[in-house]
Amino acid sequence: MSDITRRLGWRHLRSAPTVHVRHHRRGRLVHDGPGLSFWFRALTAALSEVPVDDRELAMTFHARTSDFQDVSVQATVTYRISDPATAAARLDFSVDPDTGAWRGAPLEQISTLLTETAQQHALDVLARTPLSAALVDGVAAVRERIGGGLGAEPRLSDTGIEVVAVRVIALRPEPEVERALRTPAREQIQQEADRATYERRAVAVERERAIAENELASRIELARREERLVDQKGTNARREAEEGAAADAVRAEAEAARRVRLAKAEATAAREVGEARAGAQAAWLRVHSEADPATLHALAVTRLAENLPRVDSITLSPDVLTGLLARLGGTGTGTGTGTEGA
């Protein structure tokens, strides 16, 4: 919609570049083109605004297939008004000179025309197509048929409307039918999922069995190695005991031999020492037997003197001295008497 402002009984119109404006004054075309800006008087002006940009028309309609199943079609048609003069002549695009709003509803007329024409061609295609084929290939078939039908529609070209593109978004049956159609696929998918689950469980069980077998084999091998270890320890202990016993026997034999040799040496030494002592004693006796008594007495006194303790000083009292002298006198008398008698 263009902007219209008032100035002292005049009106100023400023349109957008996507709007084609036609200005008639007293039945004569004064301004014609998109994006115009001009002054006009409301009492003598007739204005028309025709949009020339691309417009999207969403449509939804129901159809019936050859097997009497209802389907809904969702499509979008992109169109534009390629001949604004023809469109303004066929449809009411006039605007109010004061507000710039359309007096009628030309775009709704175009939407109704496009929707009914597209629906007619879609119904023609789906009425000869079963539901299963329509759900598989119906979108492409309906799109091609609608595009071709709208392009060949003479009323559109006579109105100055050009169809740019046709898109069919969806083609769906009724909810109950759709659920029924989905059931086999869902069941097959569920069966595939169950089979995958069973296979996964089987693989897991097989792996667990392999793991259990490996653990059992490991335990058996460990027990076998422990048995060999015990046998080896027993063999080593027995060999160690045997070696220890043999070593003890060798040590005992060596100790016995050493003691025998030591005893023999001690006996030999004792015998030799005894023989030497006996020889020395015999020689000593023989020497003493050949010596005179006075010599023997002197040797005895000397030996006695050698064995007496050391005396540093002697205190003699008169009593002791008297007794000692008496003994020495008696001893000398006896000795002399004996000597003389001899």
Side-chain angles (χ1 to χ4, degrees), residues 50-317:
V50 181
V52 294
D53 57 338
D54 291 348
R55 291 183 173 268
E56 303 287 338
L57 175 61
M59 58 184 69
T60 301
F61 51 87
H62 292 273
R64 180 171 293 183
T65 62
S66 61
D67 49 359
F68 305 102
Q69 299 295 327
D70 291 335
V71 294
S72 61
V73 180
Q74 296 178 3
T76 301
V77 176
T78 303
Y79 70 95
R80 68 169 174 262
I81 299 176
S82 58
D83 190 352
T86 303
R90 298 293 298 271
L91 299 174
D92 185 10
F93 283 97
S94 63
V95 298
D96 189 348
D98 293 329
T99 62
W102 277 317
R103 298 179 184 275
L107 296 182
E108 293 182 2
Q109 294 177 348
I110 295 175
S111 298
T112 301
L113 175 61
L114 292 174
T115 301
E116 291 179 353
T117 305
Q119 184 175 1
Q120 178 181 356
H121 293 289
L123 292 175
D124 190 16
V125 173
L126 294 175
R128 296 192 299 269
T129 306
L131 179 62
S132 58
L135 294 179
V136 175
D137 300 325
V139 172
V142 171
R143 182 179 63 249
E144 292 177 0
R145 184 60 181 272
I146 292 177
L150 292 178
E153 180 66 27
R155 186 180 176 185
L156 295 178
S157 60
D158 293 343
T159 312
I161 299 174
E162 179 184 357
V163 176
V164 178
V166 176
R167 298 186 301 276
V168 177
I169 301 174
L171 195 153
R172 293 185 177 181
E174 293 182 348
E176 295 79 5
V177 178
E178 188 174 5
R179 284 194 295 269
L181 293 175
R182 288 179 178 178
T183 300
R186 288 183 177 180
E187 291 295 331
Q188 184 177 0
I189 294 173
Q190 187 63 39
Q191 291 176 3
E192 294 292 335
D194 294 340
R195 183 167 64 253
T197 301
Y198 297 149
E199 291 178 356
R200 183 172 64 252
R201 290 180 179 176
V203 172
V205 171
E206 183 66 22
R207 290 180 179 176
E208 290 179 357
R209 184 184 62 80
I211 292 173
E213 290 180 355
N214 292 335
E215 291 180 353
L216 181 59
S218 299
R219 291 180 180 179
I220 293 174
E221 182 64 22
L222 182 59
R224 186 181 296 111
R225 292 185 180 181
E226 288 180 353
E227 182 180 1
R228 290 204 300 265
L229 180 61
V230 171
D231 293 341
Q232 188 64 36
K233 286 183 177 180
T235 302
N236 294 339
R238 184 169 59 254
R239 184 177 299 174
E240 185 178 358
E242 291 176 357
E243 294 294 335
D248 292 340
V250 172
R251 285 196 296 270
E253 290 178 0
E255 183 66 22
R258 187 183 66 80
R259 290 184 179 181
V260 169
R261 290 194 300 270
L262 183 59
K264 288 181 179 180
E266 290 179 353
T268 302
R271 184 172 60 253
E272 292 179 356
V273 170
E275 290 178 356
R277 289 181 178 176
Q281 189 69 24
W284 186 77
L285 293 175
R286 186 169 57 253
V287 171
H288 283 72
S289 64
E290 293 177 357
D292 56 354
T295 302
L296 294 177
H297 291 163
L299 289 174
V301 173
T302 302
R303 183 63 58 85
L304 178 62
E306 291 177 355
N307 293 326
L308 288 176
R310 181 178 179 182
V311 178
D312 294 332
S313 63
I314 299 175
T315 304
L316 298 176
S317 63

